[in-house]
């Protein structure tokens, strides 16, 4: 029996929240309502300007792993944090939530723990300023045989491909998992990430067991319309999952194609919708459910997370699955 049901690998980022009115956002030169990467000096300036900070462990795949932990699966997350206050907070928070964080905070070095400064304005808009810090230095030495090789499922974050060491970490983890009989898959992350690494991602899709992306990411990957892109993806990958911003989710495995309707709700905060869709889908995939049931689980989990602020579930997801007859 494997040690872990699902292991994630990705950026370990502390989300730091602060309420801010429009005049503050304008004064600080923050672009409202979007996520932008910032350099260290800018990140430290914004962090210092946050007077009433609220912190939470974040990162796309880490959020998915937290959702799977909520569902009772045995989880671990491979990430890199510095041995500073935020890094120790991150490692401790993951452990307290039931997810193993096998890589201890790194002492020495120059890069601090990654953080995203999120300014929440009165209208609910979130302005995210992310400094990648030490998480972008994740490399193959951070991937332990005893973790990646002990995963039933491995879930990879596409953003890691932005640096050669991240790419090497990625490929080592996938090889260890699959050689030991596990299944590995990836989240395409965003269309710009796909644009930057199209050739690598096309090769990777052929080597993995499942791939999750939205309609824009799939179209970018194959540089064609969605229908043609999914046809090509189905020929390349094991299981193909396509989310479509409130429209039906499409899931494909070989000749099998399933569409799952989405219950439209007005989001309180759309942050984390894709991450928690992945959590619900992977729970179904890990427990041997049909594509339709796994897709419906993903939709239920996504609907829960957009009903409140924050990128991680606040309700017992399995109870929600039970309520709609999925378990």
């Amino acid at each position: 029996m494997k040690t872990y049901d699902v292991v994630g690998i990705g950026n370990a980022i502390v989300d730091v929240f602060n309420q801010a009115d429009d005049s503050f956002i304008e004064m600080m030169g923050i672009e409202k309502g979007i996520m932008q990467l910032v350099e260290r000096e800018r990140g430290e300036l914004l962090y210092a300007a946050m007077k009433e900070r609220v912190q939470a462990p974040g990162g796309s795949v880490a959020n998915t792993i937290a959702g799977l932990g909520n569902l009772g699966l045995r989880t671990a997350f491979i990430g890199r944090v510095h041995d500073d206050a935020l890094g120790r907070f991150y490692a401790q928070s993951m452990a307290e939530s039931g997810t193993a964080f096998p890589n201890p905070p790194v002492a020495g070095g120059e890069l601090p723990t990654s953080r995203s400064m999120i300014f929440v304005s009165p209208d609910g808009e979130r302005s995210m300023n992310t400094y990648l810090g030490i998480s972008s230095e994740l490399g193959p030495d951070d991937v332990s045989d005893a973790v990646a090789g002990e995963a039933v499922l491995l879930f990879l974050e596409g953003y890691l491909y932005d640096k050669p060491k991240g790419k090497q970490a990625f490929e080592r983890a996938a090889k260890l998992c699959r050689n030991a009989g596990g299944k590995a898959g990836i989240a395409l992350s965003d269309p710009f990430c796909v644009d930057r690494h199209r050739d690598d991602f096309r090769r990777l899709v052929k080597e993995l067991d499942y791939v999750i992306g939205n309609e824009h990411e799939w179209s970018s990957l194959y540089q064609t319309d969605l229908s043609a892109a999914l046809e090509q993806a189905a020929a390349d990958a094991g299981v193909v999952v396509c989310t479509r911003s409130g429209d039906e989710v499409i899931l494909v495995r070989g000749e099998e194609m399933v569409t799952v309707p989405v219950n439209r709700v007005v989001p309180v905060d759309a942050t984390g919708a894709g991450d928690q869709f992945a959590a619900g889908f992977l729970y179904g995939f890990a427990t041997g459910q049909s594509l339709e049931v796994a897709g419906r689980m993903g939709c239920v989990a996504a609907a829960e997370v957009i009903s409140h602020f924050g990128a991680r579930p606040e309700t017992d997801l399995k109870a929600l699955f039970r309520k709609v007859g999925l378990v």
Side-chain angles (χ1 to χ4, degrees):
M1 185 176 179
K2 299 283 189 181
T3 304
Y4 303 108
D5 296 307
V6 187
V7 171
I9 176 170
N11 286 312
I13 300 173
V14 177
D15 290 335
V16 188
F17 302 90
N18 198 90
Q19 299 289 330
D21 59 25
D22 288 344
S23 62
F24 176 87
I25 289 172
E26 184 177 345
M27 179 183 71
M28 296 299 294
I30 297 167
E31 291 196 49
K32 186 177 177 182
I34 68 165
M35 193 287 282
Q36 58 182 339
L37 295 178
V38 298
E39 297 299 324
R40 180 173 180 173
E41 184 177 352
R42 172 72 170 163
E44 290 177 347
L45 173 69
L46 293 174
Y47 185 76
M50 303 177 99
K51 301 306 181 186
E52 297 180 5
R53 295 187 285 258
V54 177
Q55 298 175 174
S60 178
V61 165
N63 290 335
T64 296
I65 295 301
L68 288 162
N70 175 287
L71 284 159
L73 295 190
R74 297 164 301 142
T75 57
F77 179 67
I78 299 170
R80 189 174 177 86
V81 297
H82 188 66
D83 188 13
D84 54 19
L86 286 180
R88 292 188 291 273
F89 164 79
Y90 193 98
Q92 181 178 346
S93 297
M94 293 296 282
E96 288 176 350
S97 68
T99 292
F101 190 71
N103 295 39
V106 179
E110 297 182 357
L111 294 176
T113 295
S114 310
R115 75 285 308 266
S116 182
M117 282 65 66
I118 303 169
F119 295 90
V120 184
S121 48
D123 59 4
E125 284 275 15
R126 289 182 162 211
S127 307
M128 305 172 70
N129 302 265
T130 303
Y131 168 61
L132 287 178
I134 197 173
S135 70
S136 63
E137 294 298 310
L138 185 79
D141 291 345
D142 296 306
V143 179
S144 164
D145 296 38
V147 180
E150 282 293 321
V152 177
L153 293 182
L154 181 73
F155 189 39
L156 309 163
E157 185 173 302
Y159 287 123
L160 284 184
Y161 252 67
D162 277 337
K163 287 209 171 183
K165 287 173 67 176
K167 177 179 174 181
Q168 292 162 17
F170 220 97
E171 297 186 347
R172 170 172 162 77
K175 184 176 181 180
L176 285 169
C177 175
R178 299 188 84 210
N179 285 352
K183 294 182 178 180
I186 187 175
L188 292 176
S189 293
D190 77 32
F192 302 109
C193 185
V194 173
D195 287 343
R196 291 192 294 271
H197 307 291
R198 184 172 290 109
D199 290 343
D200 280 333
F201 278 3
R202 283 188 182 179
R203 173 183 57 79
L204 197 63
V205 164
K206 295 179 181 180
E207 298 173 358
L208 296 178
D209 302 288
Y210 63 92
V211 183
I212 301 173
N214 65 34
E215 56 188 321
H216 307 295
E217 291 156 4
W218 284 114
S219 294
S220 173
L221 183 63
Y222 292 106
Q223 296 177 291
T224 185
D225 64 85
L226 182 62
S227 178
L230 293 182
E231 184 177 342
Q232 181 62 53
D236 288 346
V239 174
V240 173
V241 182
C242 177
T243 59
R244 298 192 295 159
S245 298
D247 289 328
E248 291 180 325
V249 176
I250 302 171
L251 303 99
V252 187
R253 177 166 48 201
E255 298 296 316
E256 178 187 8
M257 176 179 284
V258 172
T259 57
V260 176
V262 173
N263 291 326
R264 291 177 176 270
V265 296
V266 177
V268 173
D269 174 12
T271 309
D275 301 340
Q276 295 313 318
F277 173 87
F281 167 76
L282 289 176
Y283 178 80
F285 192 53
T287 56
Q289 305 299 322
S290 67
L291 284 186
E292 179 184 3
V293 169
R296 289 178 62 196
M297 287 176 166
C299 292
V300 170
E304 189 281 336
V305 82
I306 67 174
S307 70
H308 57 78
F309 285 106
R312 299 188 174 191
E314 294 182 350
T315 305
D316 181 341
L317 293 179
K318 195 174 287 187
L320 295 181
F321 292 170
R322 196 173 293 114
K323 186 176 180 180
V324 294
L326 294 177
V327 294

